[in-house]
Amino acid sequence: AFPVSRDGSVGCLGGPLARLEGSFSELTAKEAALAYAQSAVAVHTLLDEAGAPAMVSLLGDLGRGVPFASAFERHMLMSYADFQKKLMG
């Protein structure tokens, strides 16, 4: 799950993974550090649950132009929306 601050809010940028989908170049240093940490959590979760071969297949599909949501669901065996909910839980 994503880091939780002292006030109980989840440490994310504009939605579970929404801000992580674009470039980090426009983020402040603090936001970029959080974005990289969140990305690491997401990748580690995917590797733990689906394994490296599924991740390699996902990246291969993306390289061939398959839409992200379709490739994600095909290789991770869950929808991207469900994965986001899982990370927030």
Coordinates of all heavy atoms in Angstrom, one line a residue:
A1 N 0.8 -1.2 0.0 CA 0.0 0.0 0.0 C 0.9 1.2 0.0 O 2.0 1.2 0.4 CB -0.9 0.0 1.2
F2 N 0.3 2.3 -0.4 CA 1.0 3.6 -0.4 C 1.3 4.1 1.0 O 0.5 3.8 1.9 CB 0.3 4.6 -1.3 CG 0.3 4.4 -2.7 CD1 -0.8 4.3 -3.5 CD2 1.5 4.2 -3.4 CE1 -0.8 4.0 -4.8 CE2 1.6 3.9 -4.7 CZ 0.4 3.9 -5.5
P3 N 2.3 5.0 1.1 CA 2.6 5.5 2.4 C 1.4 6.4 3.0 O 0.8 7.0 2.2 CB 3.8 6.4 2.2 CG 4.2 6.2 0.8 CD 3.2 5.4 0.1
V4 N 1.2 6.3 4.3 CA 0.2 7.1 4.9 C 0.8 8.2 5.8 O 1.7 7.9 6.5 CB -0.7 6.2 5.8 CG1 -1.8 7.0 6.5 CG2 -1.4 5.1 4.9
S5 N 0.3 9.4 5.7 CA 0.9 10.5 6.4 C 0.3 10.5 7.8 O -0.6 9.8 8.2 CB 0.6 11.8 5.7 OG -0.7 12.1 5.8
R6 N 0.9 11.4 8.7 CA 0.4 11.5 10.1 C -1.1 11.8 10.2 O -1.8 11.4 11.1 CB 1.2 12.6 10.8 CG 2.5 12.2 11.2 CD 3.2 13.2 12.0 NE 4.6 13.3 11.5 CZ 5.4 14.3 11.6 NH1 4.9 15.4 12.2 NH2 6.6 14.3 11.1
D7 N -1.6 12.6 9.2 CA -3.0 12.9 9.2 C -3.9 11.8 8.7 O -5.1 12.0 8.6 CB -3.3 14.3 8.5 CG -3.1 14.2 7.0 OD1 -2.8 13.1 6.5 OD2 -3.3 15.2 6.4
G8 N -3.3 10.7 8.3 CA -4.1 9.6 7.8 C -4.4 9.6 6.3 O -4.9 8.6 5.7
S9 N -3.9 10.6 5.6 CA -4.1 10.6 4.1 C -3.1 9.8 3.4 O -2.0 9.7 3.9 CB -4.1 12.1 3.6 OG -2.8 12.7 3.8
V10 N -3.5 9.2 2.3 CA -2.6 8.4 1.6 C -1.6 9.3 0.8 O -2.0 10.3 0.2 CB -3.3 7.5 0.6 CG1 -2.4 6.7 -0.3 CG2 -4.2 6.6 1.4
G11 N -0.4 9.0 0.8 CA 0.7 9.7 0.1 C 0.7 9.4 -1.4 O 1.5 8.7 -1.8
C12 N -0.2 10.0 -2.1 CA -0.2 9.8 -3.6 C -0.5 11.1 -4.3 O -0.9 12.1 -3.7 CB -1.2 8.7 -4.0 SG -2.9 9.2 -3.8
L13 N -0.2 11.2 -5.5 CA -0.2 12.4 -6.3 C -1.4 12.4 -7.3 O -1.4 11.8 -8.3 CB 1.0 12.6 -7.1 CG 2.3 12.6 -6.3 CD1 3.5 12.5 -7.2 CD2 2.4 13.9 -5.6
G14 N -2.6 12.9 -6.9 CA -3.7 13.0 -7.8 C -4.5 11.8 -8.1 O -5.2 11.7 -9.1
G15 N -4.3 10.7 -7.3 CA -5.0 9.5 -7.6 C -4.1 8.3 -7.4 O -2.9 8.6 -7.3
P16 N -4.6 7.1 -7.3 CA -3.7 6.0 -7.0 C -2.5 5.9 -7.9 O -1.4 5.9 -7.4 CB -4.6 4.8 -7.2 CG -6.0 5.3 -7.0 CD -6.0 6.8 -7.4
L17 N -2.6 5.9 -9.2 CA -1.5 5.8 -10.0 C -1.5 6.9 -11.1 O -0.6 6.9 -12.0 CB -1.4 4.4 -10.7 CG -1.2 3.3 -9.7 CD1 -1.3 1.9 -10.4 CD2 0.1 3.4 -8.9
A18 N -2.5 7.7 -11.1 CA -2.7 8.7 -12.2 C -1.5 9.6 -12.5 O -1.1 9.7 -13.6 CB -3.9 9.6 -11.9
R19 N -0.9 10.1 -11.5 CA 0.2 11.0 -11.6 C 1.5 10.2 -12.1 O 2.4 10.8 -12.6 CB 0.5 11.8 -10.4 CG 1.5 12.9 -10.5 CD 0.9 14.0 -11.5 NE 1.7 15.1 -11.5 CZ 2.4 15.5 -12.6 NH1 2.3 14.8 -13.7 NH2 3.2 16.6 -12.6
L20 N 1.5 9.0 -11.8 CA 2.7 8.2 -12.2 C 2.7 7.8 -13.6 O 3.7 7.3 -14.1 CB 2.8 6.9 -11.3 CG 2.7 7.1 -9.8 CD1 2.7 5.7 -9.1 CD2 3.7 8.0 -9.3
E21 N 1.7 8.0 -14.4 CA 1.6 7.6 -15.7 C 2.3 8.6 -16.7 O 2.5 8.2 -17.8 CB 0.1 7.5 -16.1 CG -0.6 6.3 -15.4 CD -2.1 6.3 -15.6 OE1 -2.6 7.0 -16.4 OE2 -2.7 5.5 -14.8
G22 N 2.6 9.7 -16.2 CA 3.3 10.7 -17.1 C 4.7 11.0 -16.7 O 5.3 10.3 -15.8
S23 N 5.3 12.0 -17.2 CA 6.7 12.4 -16.9 C 6.7 13.0 -15.5 O 5.8 13.6 -15.0 CB 7.1 13.5 -17.9 OG 8.4 14.0 -17.5
F24 N 7.8 12.7 -14.8 CA 8.0 13.2 -13.5 C 8.8 14.6 -13.5 O 9.0 15.2 -12.5 CB 8.8 12.3 -12.6 CG 8.2 11.0 -12.3 CD1 8.8 10.0 -11.5 CD2 6.9 10.7 -12.7 CE1 8.2 8.8 -11.2 CE2 6.2 9.5 -12.3 CZ 6.9 8.6 -11.6
S25 N 9.1 15.0 -14.7 CA 9.9 16.2 -14.9 C 9.3 17.5 -14.4 O 10.0 18.5 -14.0 CB 10.3 16.4 -16.4 OG 9.2 16.7 -17.2
E26 N 8.0 17.6 -14.3 CA 7.3 18.8 -13.9 C 7.0 18.7 -12.4 O 6.4 19.7 -11.8 CB 6.0 18.9 -14.6 CG 6.1 19.1 -16.1 CD 6.9 20.4 -16.5 OE1 6.6 21.4 -15.9 OE2 7.7 20.3 -17.4
L27 N 7.4 17.7 -11.7 CA 7.2 17.5 -10.2 C 8.2 18.2 -9.4 O 9.4 18.4 -9.9 CB 7.1 16.0 -9.8 CG 6.1 15.2 -10.5 CD1 6.3 13.7 -10.1 CD2 4.7 15.6 -10.3
T28 N 7.9 18.7 -8.2 CA 8.9 19.2 -7.3 C 9.8 18.0 -6.9 O 9.4 16.9 -7.1 CB 8.2 19.8 -6.1 OG1 7.6 18.8 -5.3 CG2 7.2 20.9 -6.5
A29 N 10.9 18.3 -6.2 CA 11.7 17.3 -5.7 C 11.0 16.3 -4.8 O 11.2 15.1 -4.8 CB 13.0 17.9 -5.1
K30 N 10.2 16.9 -3.9 CA 9.5 16.1 -2.9 C 8.4 15.2 -3.6 O 8.3 14.0 -3.3 CB 8.8 17.0 -1.9 CG 8.1 16.3 -0.8 CD 7.5 17.3 0.2 CE 6.8 16.5 1.3 NZ 6.3 17.4 2.3
E31 N 7.7 15.8 -4.6 CA 6.7 15.0 -5.3 C 7.4 13.9 -6.2 O 6.9 12.8 -6.3 CB 5.9 16.0 -6.3 CG 5.0 16.9 -5.6 CD 4.4 17.9 -6.5 OE1 5.0 18.3 -7.6 OE2 3.3 18.4 -6.2
A32 N 8.5 14.2 -6.8 CA 9.2 13.2 -7.6 C 9.7 12.1 -6.7 O 9.6 10.9 -7.1 CB 10.4 13.9 -8.3
A33 N 10.2 12.4 -5.5 CA 10.7 11.3 -4.6 C 9.5 10.4 -4.2 O 9.6 9.2 -4.2 CB 11.3 11.9 -3.3
L34 N 8.3 11.0 -3.9 CA 7.1 10.3 -3.6 C 6.7 9.4 -4.8 O 6.4 8.3 -4.7 CB 6.0 11.2 -3.2 CG 4.7 10.5 -2.8 CD1 4.9 9.5 -1.7 CD2 3.7 11.6 -2.4
A35 N 6.7 10.0 -6.0 CA 6.3 9.3 -7.2 C 7.2 8.1 -7.5 O 6.7 7.0 -7.8 CB 6.3 10.3 -8.4
Y36 N 8.5 8.3 -7.3 CA 9.5 7.1 -7.5 C 9.2 6.0 -6.4 O 9.2 4.9 -6.7 CB 10.9 7.6 -7.5 CG 11.4 8.2 -8.8 CD1 11.6 9.5 -8.9 CD2 11.5 7.4 -9.9 CE1 12.0 10.1 -10.1 CE2 11.9 7.9 -11.1 CZ 12.2 9.3 -11.2 OH 12.5 9.8 -12.4
A37 N 8.9 6.4 -5.2 CA 8.6 5.5 -4.2 C 7.3 4.7 -4.5 O 7.3 3.5 -4.3 CB 8.5 6.2 -2.8
Q38 N 6.3 5.4 -4.9 CA 5.1 4.8 -5.3 C 5.2 3.9 -6.5 O 4.7 2.8 -6.5 CB 4.0 5.9 -5.6 CG 3.6 6.6 -4.4 CD 2.7 7.8 -4.8 OE1 2.8 8.4 -5.8 NE2 1.8 8.2 -3.9
S39 N 6.0 4.3 -7.4 CA 6.3 3.4 -8.6 C 7.0 2.1 -8.2 O 6.6 1.0 -8.7 CB 7.2 4.2 -9.6 OG 6.6 5.3 -10.1
A40 N 7.9 2.3 -7.3 CA 8.6 1.1 -6.8 C 7.7 0.1 -6.1 O 7.7 -1.1 -6.3 CB 9.8 1.5 -5.8
V41 N 6.8 0.7 -5.3 CA 5.8 -0.2 -4.6 C 4.9 -0.9 -5.6 O 4.6 -2.1 -5.5 CB 4.9 0.6 -3.6 CG1 3.7 -0.2 -3.1 CG2 5.7 1.1 -2.4
A42 N 4.5 -0.2 -6.6 CA 3.6 -0.8 -7.7 C 4.3 -1.9 -8.4 O 3.8 -3.0 -8.6 CB 3.1 0.3 -8.6
V43 N 5.6 -1.6 -8.8 CA 6.4 -2.6 -9.5 C 6.6 -3.9 -8.7 O 6.5 -5.0 -9.1 CB 7.7 -2.0 -10.1 CG1 8.6 -3.1 -10.6 CG2 7.4 -1.0 -11.2
H44 N 7.0 -3.6 -7.4 CA 7.3 -4.8 -6.5 C 6.0 -5.6 -6.3 O 6.1 -6.8 -6.3 CB 7.9 -4.3 -5.2 CG 9.3 -3.9 -5.3 ND1 10.3 -4.8 -5.3 CD2 9.9 -2.7 -5.4 CE1 11.5 -4.2 -5.4 NE2 11.2 -2.9 -5.5
T45 N 4.9 -4.9 -6.2 CA 3.6 -5.7 -6.0 C 3.3 -6.5 -7.2 O 2.9 -7.7 -7.1 CB 2.5 -4.7 -5.7 OG1 2.8 -3.9 -4.6 CG2 1.1 -5.4 -5.6
L46 N 3.5 -5.9 -8.4 CA 3.3 -6.7 -9.6 C 4.2 -7.9 -9.8 O 3.8 -9.0 -10.2 CB 3.4 -5.8 -10.9 CG 2.3 -4.8 -11.0 CD1 2.6 -3.8 -12.2 CD2 0.9 -5.4 -11.3
L47 N 5.5 -7.7 -9.4 CA 6.4 -8.8 -9.5 C 6.1 -9.9 -8.5 O 6.2 -11.0 -8.9 CB 7.9 -8.2 -9.3 CG 8.5 -7.4 -10.4 CD1 9.8 -6.8 -10.0 CD2 8.7 -8.3 -11.7
D48 N 5.7 -9.5 -7.3 CA 5.3 -10.5 -6.3 C 4.1 -11.3 -6.7 O 4.0 -12.5 -6.5 CB 5.1 -9.8 -5.0 CG 6.3 -9.3 -4.3 OD1 7.4 -9.7 -4.7 OD2 6.2 -8.5 -3.3
E49 N 3.1 -10.6 -7.3 CA 1.9 -11.3 -7.6 C 1.8 -11.9 -9.0 O 1.2 -13.0 -9.1 CB 0.7 -10.2 -7.5 CG 0.5 -9.8 -6.1 CD -0.7 -9.0 -5.9 OE1 -1.5 -8.8 -6.8 OE2 -0.9 -8.5 -4.8
A50 N 2.4 -11.3 -10.0 CA 2.3 -11.9 -11.3 C 3.6 -12.5 -11.8 O 3.6 -13.3 -12.7 CB 1.8 -10.8 -12.3
G51 N 4.7 -12.0 -11.3 CA 6.0 -12.6 -11.6 C 6.7 -11.8 -12.8 O 6.1 -11.0 -13.5
A52 N 8.0 -12.0 -12.9 CA 8.8 -11.3 -13.9 C 8.4 -11.7 -15.3 O 8.3 -10.8 -16.2 CB 10.3 -11.6 -13.7
P53 N 8.0 -12.9 -15.6 CA 7.6 -13.2 -17.0 C 6.4 -12.4 -17.4 O 6.3 -11.9 -18.6 CB 7.3 -14.7 -17.0 CG 8.2 -15.3 -15.9 CD 8.2 -14.2 -14.9
A54 N 5.4 -12.2 -16.5 CA 4.2 -11.5 -16.8 C 4.6 -10.0 -17.1 O 4.1 -9.3 -18.0 CB 3.2 -11.6 -15.7
M55 N 5.5 -9.5 -16.3 CA 6.0 -8.1 -16.4 C 6.7 -7.9 -17.8 O 6.4 -6.9 -18.5 CB 6.9 -7.7 -15.3 CG 7.3 -6.3 -15.3 SD 5.9 -5.2 -14.9 CE 6.2 -5.1 -13.1
V56 N 7.5 -8.9 -18.2 CA 8.2 -8.8 -19.4 C 7.2 -8.8 -20.6 O 7.3 -8.1 -21.6 CB 9.3 -9.9 -19.6 CG1 9.8 -10.0 -21.0 CG2 10.4 -9.7 -18.6
S57 N 6.2 -9.7 -20.5 CA 5.2 -9.8 -21.5 C 4.4 -8.5 -21.6 O 4.0 -8.0 -22.7 CB 4.2 -11.0 -21.2 OG 4.9 -12.2 -21.3
L58 N 4.0 -7.9 -20.4 CA 3.3 -6.6 -20.4 C 4.1 -5.6 -21.2 O 3.6 -4.9 -22.0 CB 3.1 -6.2 -19.0 CG 2.6 -4.7 -18.8 CD1 1.2 -4.6 -19.4 CD2 2.6 -4.4 -17.3
L59 N 5.4 -5.5 -20.8 CA 6.3 -4.5 -21.5 C 6.4 -4.7 -23.0 O 6.4 -3.8 -23.8 CB 7.6 -4.4 -20.8 CG 7.6 -3.9 -19.4 CD1 9.0 -4.1 -18.8 CD2 7.2 -2.5 -19.3
G60 N 6.4 -6.0 -23.4 CA 6.5 -6.4 -24.8 C 5.3 -5.9 -25.5 O 5.3 -5.3 -26.6
D61 N 4.1 -6.1 -24.9 CA 2.8 -5.7 -25.5 C 2.8 -4.1 -25.7 O 2.4 -3.6 -26.7 CB 1.6 -6.1 -24.7 CG 1.1 -7.5 -25.1 OD1 1.7 -8.1 -25.9 OD2 0.1 -7.9 -24.5
L62 N 3.3 -3.4 -24.6 CA 3.3 -2.0 -24.7 C 4.2 -1.5 -25.8 O 3.9 -0.6 -26.5 CB 3.7 -1.4 -23.4 CG 2.8 -1.7 -22.2 CD1 3.4 -1.1 -20.9 CD2 1.4 -1.1 -22.5
G63 N 5.4 -2.2 -26.0 CA 6.3 -1.9 -27.1 C 5.7 -2.1 -28.4 O 6.1 -1.4 -29.4
R64 N 4.7 -3.0 -28.5 CA 4.1 -3.3 -29.8 C 2.8 -2.4 -30.0 O 2.1 -2.5 -31.0 CB 3.7 -4.7 -29.9 CG 4.9 -5.7 -30.1 CD 4.5 -7.1 -30.3 NE 3.9 -7.7 -29.1 CZ 4.7 -8.2 -28.1 NH1 6.0 -8.1 -28.2 NH2 4.1 -8.8 -27.1
G65 N 2.6 -1.5 -29.1 CA 1.5 -0.5 -29.2 C 0.1 -1.0 -28.7 O -0.9 -0.4 -28.9
V66 N 0.1 -2.1 -27.9 CA -1.1 -2.6 -27.3 C -1.5 -1.6 -26.2 O -0.7 -1.1 -25.5 CB -1.0 -4.0 -26.7 CG1 -2.2 -4.4 -25.9 CG2 -0.6 -5.0 -27.8
P67 N -2.8 -1.1 -26.2 CA -3.2 -0.2 -25.1 C -2.9 -0.7 -23.8 O -3.0 -1.9 -23.5 CB -4.7 -0.1 -25.4 CG -4.9 -0.5 -26.8 CD -3.9 -1.5 -27.1
F68 N -2.5 0.2 -22.9 CA -2.0 -0.2 -21.6 C -3.0 -1.1 -20.8 O -2.7 -2.1 -20.3 CB -1.6 1.0 -20.7 CG -1.1 0.6 -19.4 CD1 0.2 0.2 -19.2 CD2 -2.0 0.7 -18.3 CE1 0.6 -0.2 -17.9 CE2 -1.5 0.3 -17.0 CZ -0.2 -0.1 -16.8
A69 N -4.3 -0.6 -20.7 CA -5.3 -1.3 -19.9 C -5.5 -2.8 -20.4 O -5.6 -3.7 -19.6 CB -6.6 -0.6 -19.9
S70 N -5.5 -2.9 -21.7 CA -5.6 -4.3 -22.3 C -4.5 -5.2 -22.0 O -4.6 -6.3 -21.6 CB -5.8 -4.2 -23.8 OG -7.0 -3.5 -24.2
A71 N -3.3 -4.6 -22.2 CA -2.0 -5.4 -21.9 C -1.9 -5.7 -20.4 O -1.6 -6.9 -20.1 CB -0.8 -4.6 -22.4
F72 N -2.3 -4.8 -19.6 CA -2.2 -5.0 -18.1 C -3.1 -6.1 -17.7 O -2.7 -7.1 -17.0 CB -2.6 -3.7 -17.4 CG -2.4 -3.8 -15.9 CD1 -1.2 -3.4 -15.4 CD2 -3.3 -4.3 -15.1 CE1 -0.9 -3.5 -14.0 CE2 -3.1 -4.4 -13.7 CZ -1.9 -4.0 -13.2
E73 N -4.4 -6.1 -18.2 CA -5.3 -7.1 -17.8 C -4.9 -8.5 -18.3 O -5.1 -9.5 -17.6 CB -6.7 -6.7 -18.2 CG -7.8 -7.6 -17.7 CD -9.2 -7.1 -17.8 OE1 -9.4 -5.9 -18.1 OE2 -10.1 -7.9 -17.5
R74 N -4.4 -8.5 -19.5 CA -4.0 -9.8 -20.1 C -2.9 -10.5 -19.3 O -2.9 -11.7 -19.1 CB -3.6 -9.6 -21.6 CG -3.1 -10.9 -22.2 CD -2.7 -10.7 -23.7 NE -3.6 -9.9 -24.4 CZ -3.4 -8.9 -25.2 NH1 -2.1 -8.4 -25.3 NH2 -4.3 -8.3 -25.9
H75 N -2.0 -9.7 -18.9 CA -0.8 -10.3 -18.3 C -0.8 -10.3 -16.7 O -0.2 -11.2 -16.1 CB 0.5 -9.6 -18.8 CG 0.7 -9.7 -20.2 ND1 0.9 -10.9 -20.8 CD2 0.5 -8.8 -21.3 CE1 1.0 -10.8 -22.2 NE2 0.7 -9.5 -22.4
M76 N -1.5 -9.4 -16.1 CA -1.6 -9.3 -14.7 C -2.8 -10.0 -14.1 O -2.9 -10.2 -12.9 CB -1.5 -7.9 -14.2 CG -0.3 -7.1 -14.6 SD 1.2 -8.0 -14.0 CE 2.4 -7.5 -15.3
L77 N -3.7 -10.4 -15.0 CA -4.9 -11.2 -14.6 C -5.8 -10.4 -13.7 O -6.5 -11.0 -12.8 CB -4.5 -12.6 -14.1 CG -3.6 -13.4 -15.0 CD1 -3.3 -14.7 -14.3 CD2 -4.2 -13.6 -16.3
M78 N -5.8 -9.1 -13.8 CA -6.7 -8.2 -13.1 C -6.8 -6.9 -13.8 O -5.9 -6.6 -14.6 CB -6.3 -8.0 -11.6 CG -5.1 -7.1 -11.5 SD -4.7 -6.7 -9.8 CE -3.7 -8.1 -9.4
S79 N -7.9 -6.2 -13.7 CA -8.0 -4.9 -14.3 C -7.0 -3.9 -13.7 O -6.7 -4.1 -12.5 CB -9.4 -4.4 -14.3 OG -9.7 -4.0 -13.0
Y80 N -6.7 -2.9 -14.4 CA -5.8 -1.8 -13.9 C -6.5 -1.1 -12.8 O -5.9 -0.8 -11.7 CB -5.5 -0.9 -15.0 CG -4.5 0.2 -14.7 CD1 -3.3 -0.1 -14.0 CD2 -4.7 1.5 -15.0 CE1 -2.4 0.9 -13.7 CE2 -3.8 2.5 -14.7 CZ -2.7 2.2 -14.1 OH -1.8 3.2 -13.8
A81 N -7.8 -0.9 -12.9 CA -8.6 -0.3 -11.8 C -8.6 -1.1 -10.5 O -8.4 -0.6 -9.5 CB -10.1 -0.1 -12.3
D82 N -8.7 -2.4 -10.7 CA -8.6 -3.3 -9.5 C -7.3 -3.2 -8.8 O -7.1 -3.3 -7.6 CB -9.0 -4.7 -9.8 CG -10.5 -4.9 -10.1 OD1 -11.3 -4.0 -9.7 OD2 -10.8 -6.0 -10.6
F83 N -6.2 -3.2 -9.7 CA -4.9 -3.1 -9.1 C -4.7 -1.8 -8.3 O -4.1 -1.7 -7.3 CB -3.8 -3.1 -10.3 CG -2.4 -3.0 -9.8 CD1 -1.8 -4.0 -9.0 CD2 -1.7 -1.9 -10.1 CE1 -0.5 -3.8 -8.5 CE2 -0.4 -1.8 -9.7 CZ 0.2 -2.7 -8.9
Q84 N -5.2 -0.7 -8.9 CA -5.1 0.6 -8.2 C -5.9 0.6 -6.9 O -5.3 1.0 -5.8 CB -5.7 1.7 -9.1 CG -4.9 2.0 -10.3 CD -5.4 3.2 -11.1 OE1 -5.2 4.3 -10.7 NE2 -6.0 2.9 -12.2
K85 N -7.0 -0.1 -6.8 CA -7.8 -0.2 -5.6 C -7.0 -1.0 -4.6 O -6.9 -0.7 -3.4 CB -9.1 -0.9 -5.8 CG -10.1 0.0 -6.6 CD -11.4 -0.8 -6.8 CE -12.3 0.0 -7.8 NZ -13.4 -0.8 -8.3
K86 N -6.3 -2.1 -5.1 CA -5.5 -2.9 -4.2 C -4.4 -2.1 -3.6 O -4.1 -2.3 -2.4 CB -5.0 -4.1 -5.0 CG -4.2 -5.0 -4.2 CD -3.8 -6.2 -5.0 CE -3.2 -7.2 -4.1 NZ -3.6 -8.6 -4.4
L87 N -3.7 -1.3 -4.3 CA -2.6 -0.5 -3.8 C -3.1 0.5 -2.8 O -2.4 0.8 -1.8 CB -1.9 0.2 -4.9 CG -1.0 -0.6 -5.8 CD1 -0.3 0.3 -6.9 CD2 0.1 -1.3 -5.0
M88 N -4.3 1.0 -2.9 CA -4.8 1.9 -2.0 C -5.3 1.3 -0.7 O -5.5 1.9 0.3 CB -6.0 2.8 -2.6 CG -5.5 3.6 -3.8 SD -4.2 4.7 -3.4 CE -5.1 5.8 -2.3
G89 N -5.5 0.0 -0.7 CA -6.1 -0.7 0.4 C -5.0 -1.1 1.4 O -4.8 -1.1 2.4

